[in-house]
Amino acid sequence: MDQQKIEILLSTSVWNPQPWVDGLSLSEHVSKVHVWPTDADLSNVKALFVWKPLAEGVVTQLPNLKWISSLGAGVDHLMTDPQIPSDIPITRIVDPRLTIDMTNYVMMAVIMYQRKFKLLQENQAKAHWERITYDNLTVGVMGLGELGGHLANQLVAAGFEVYGYSRTKNHIVGAETYAEHGLEEFLSDLDVLVNLLPITPKTVGILNRDLLSQTKKGCYLINVARGNHLVDEDLIELLDSNHLSGAMLDVFHQEPLPENHPFWKHPKITITPHVASVTSPQSALNLLKENIDRLVNETPLLHQVDLNRGY
Ligand code: OXD
């Protein structure tokens, strides 16, 4: 690229754009950071950074666009948006903080379930002293990418029996791993099933009656990937029939989860409002700045999405 400074357009939707603007403005290769919505001339914008959703018609105002980045680990909001061109590289945030936070959240969920924390709290409310026992658990992680792979390793280190499942076979030291045709075997022995799959047309609705019924009776579900991996009615049915013992859900079809959604009041469901792992501008900005340097120096961008795979 001949000029050594670029203009960026930031569309952060519900997030406060200021920390991003402040951080990006410190890059020697950034001449201007625009924030959507704006009436400014955007014809020199080279990079578009998006947290969802992106307003309709934004991309047509960017004739010189060279790069799009999600501001989170997920890129589903870009993959499903028809205004996103297919010939521009798309990157996502891969950030050690995001990865560690996700692992910590799931570890918390697994351990709260294993140690029957809900029961301990109920006992406290009744001033009832009872030393509850617990067993070691077999935990299955679906999706062994950046987040799922890290989680599986930490679960092994914490002494759980760990199974992993991914589209193509992955190796995790100390875990049993399965790919495509091993799904039934992967599911059959689990006490806890964790979903960290990417969302693609193939994985929408994958957590349905058919798949969840293949788990051992009493299995506990943790969904921290996307709400549309899950068929909500099927989950409720399997909880009510006692096939599943409970679920911890951080992601939903519609966010915020509507007030009248049956998940809120279900006694076997624990809900958190999409906070398992939240992008922190401080750490994500390091990667964005590295990629800005790469764009200017015409070297390949880090963490590009494979548009055919969809993640
Ligand atoms: C993400 C998310 O994709 O927060 O980063 O869901």
Side-chain angles (χ1 to χ4, degrees), residues 4 13 18 69 81 97 127 137 142 152 182 186 259 272 274:
Q4 291 298 300
S13 189
Q18 206 51 50
S69 183
D81 185 339
R97 192 65 260 163
L137 301 180
M142 285 185 94
F186 162 76
E259 259 178 54
T272 55
H274 203 144

Side-chain angles (χ1 to χ4, degrees), residues 4-287:
Q4 291 298 300
K5 282 183 180 274
I6 62 164
E7 290 187 23
I8 293 170
L9 175 63
L10 198 61
S11 167
T12 54
S13 189
V14 291
W15 291 355
N16 172 14
Q18 206 51 50
W20 299 93
V21 175
D22 294 346
L24 290 167
S25 304
L26 295 176
S27 161
E28 54 172 335
H29 293 308
V30 174
S31 56
K32 174 107 192 112
V33 183
H34 301 274
V35 178
W36 187 264
T38 172
D39 292 330
D41 170 16
L42 300 176
S43 58
N44 287 319
V45 164
K46 295 263 174 355
L48 170 64
F49 298 166
V50 190
W51 194 239
K52 46 192 167 180
L54 181 63
E56 222 177 292
V58 174
V59 176
T60 54
Q61 299 194 37
L62 313 174
N64 278 306
L65 190 62
K66 298 280 181 283
W67 163 39
I68 301 174
S69 183
S70 168
L71 291 179
V75 286
D76 43 310
H77 54 299
L78 299 173
M79 295 293 131
T80 52
D81 185 339
Q83 68 179 310
I84 299 295
S86 56
D87 55 348
I88 290 188
I90 297 181
T91 58
R92 64 196 195 91
I93 300 296
V94 174
D95 161 30
R97 192 65 260 163
L98 208 57
T99 307
I100 290 168
D101 287 353
M102 180 58 85
T103 290
N104 288 347
Y105 176 97
V106 177
M107 296 290 279
M108 168 190 75
V110 170
I111 294 169
M112 278 173 60
Y113 174 65
Q114 179 198 29
R115 301 301 188 94
K116 308 184 179 111
F117 199 71
K118 212 168 158 201
L119 182 56
L120 292 170
Q121 281 189 308
E122 283 163 15
N123 285 348
Q124 177 179 349
K126 294 185 279 191
H128 173 67
W129 179 279
E130 184 187 345
R131 299 182 70 221
I132 306 278
T133 59
Y134 55 90
D135 300 314
N136 198 14
L137 301 180
T138 300
V139 183
V141 182
M142 285 185 94
L144 295 173
E146 210 68 49
L147 300 177
H150 186 266
L151 170 67
N153 280 307
Q154 296 304 308
L155 286 164
V156 170
F160 292 101
E161 195 74 37
V162 182
Y163 290 5
Y165 176 84
S166 49
R167 191 178 58 92
T168 50
K169 185 124 164 117
N170 260 293
H171 184 65
I172 304 279
V173 178
E176 288 281 343
T177 53
Y178 300 86
E180 210 112 34
H181 298 297
L183 183 61
E184 201 180 323
E185 205 181 330
F186 162 76
L187 292 169
S188 62
D189 220 16
L190 302 182
D191 298 305
V192 179
L193 172 62
V194 181
N195 177 40
L196 265 170
L197 285 169
I199 193 86
T200 68
K202 282 195 181 150
T203 63
V204 168
I206 191 167
L207 299 176
N208 55 29
R209 185 188 299 110
D210 179 40
L211 182 144
L212 295 171
S213 316
Q214 293 177 53
T215 59
K216 193 166 85 180
K217 187 168 161 48
C219 183
Y220 187 80
L221 174 71
I222 299 171
N223 188 20
V224 278
R226 284 292 180 260
N228 47 349
H229 280 126
L230 179 66
V231 179
D232 294 2
E233 310 75 66
D234 291 0
L235 173 64
I236 290 181
E237 185 187 311
L238 289 164
L239 289 170
D240 291 348
S241 68
N242 293 325
H243 180 77
L244 295 177
S245 58
M248 181 129 169
L249 307 175
D250 185 57
V251 286
F252 305 92
H253 282 261
Q254 191 184 334
E255 296 181 5
L257 183 65
E259 259 178 54
N260 59 356
H261 195 288
F263 282 173
W264 280 116
K265 295 222 165 87
H266 199 288
K268 293 185 180 167
I269 295 179
T270 303
I271 283 172
T272 55
H274 203 144
V275 290
S277 178
V278 180
T279 316
S280 125
Q282 283 77 9
S283 50
L285 277 163
N286 294 333
L287 171 61

